[in-house]
Amino acid sequence: RRPTLSKILDSPEPGKYLLAMRSPWDTARDAVLLLPGMQRPLLRAGEYVLENLEGERISRAHPGVQVFLRCELEELRPGLFIRAA
């Protein structure tokens, strides 16, 4: 079973999303956006960036922290979950 990595909390600007981390996330791996209706768009490694709250790029995020996701995937919005691919 693949873990749920995070929940999207907010979008302070286009292409930038505040996440609440639920499981470890390594940016070298793909992830999947969980959309209603069983749609599962892929977030490919290298096509997104994780940042800490200070705006510094990070390669790993850990449960219990909040981070920013920078990605241009149109379907991203607050309230959705992201799962390991």
Side-chain angles (χ1 to χ4, degrees), residues 45-81:
E47 293 180 357
Y48 66 85
V49 172
L50 293 181
E51 297 176 346
N52 62 22
L53 297 182
E54 289 75 38
E56 300 164 328
R57 184 179 278 197
I58 56 175
S59 60
R60 286 189 59 87
H62 301 279
V65 301
Q66 292 184 350
V67 299
F68 288 113
L69 168 69
R70 289 202 179 261
C71 184
E72 298 302 321
L73 191 65
E74 293 178 11
E75 296 90 347
L76 290 166
R77 62 181 181 272
L80 297 178
F81 292 90

Side-chain angles (χ1 to χ4, degrees), residues 1-82:
R1 183 171 176 148
R2 295 168 289 187
T4 299
L5 301 173
S6 65
K7 180 178 182 181
I8 302 173
L9 300 177
D10 191 19
S11 181
E13 61 186 64
K16 184 176 181 178
Y17 303 89
L18 180 64
L19 307 179
M21 297 306 304
R22 294 180 167 210
S23 297
W25 186 346
D26 185 333
T27 59
R29 301 190 64 179
D30 294 343
V32 175
L33 182 61
L34 303 179
L35 291 175
M38 298 299 291
Q39 297 177 52
R40 303 290 182 256
L42 188 63
L43 295 166
R44 295 190 185 280
E47 293 180 357
Y48 66 85
V49 172
L50 293 181
E51 297 176 346
N52 62 22
L53 297 182
E54 289 75 38
E56 300 164 328
R57 184 179 278 197
I58 56 175
S59 60
R60 286 189 59 87
H62 301 279
V65 301
Q66 292 184 350
V67 299
F68 288 113
L69 168 69
R70 289 202 179 261
C71 184
E72 298 302 321
L73 191 65
E74 293 178 11
E75 296 90 347
L76 290 166
R77 62 181 181 272
L80 297 178
F81 292 90
I82 299 172

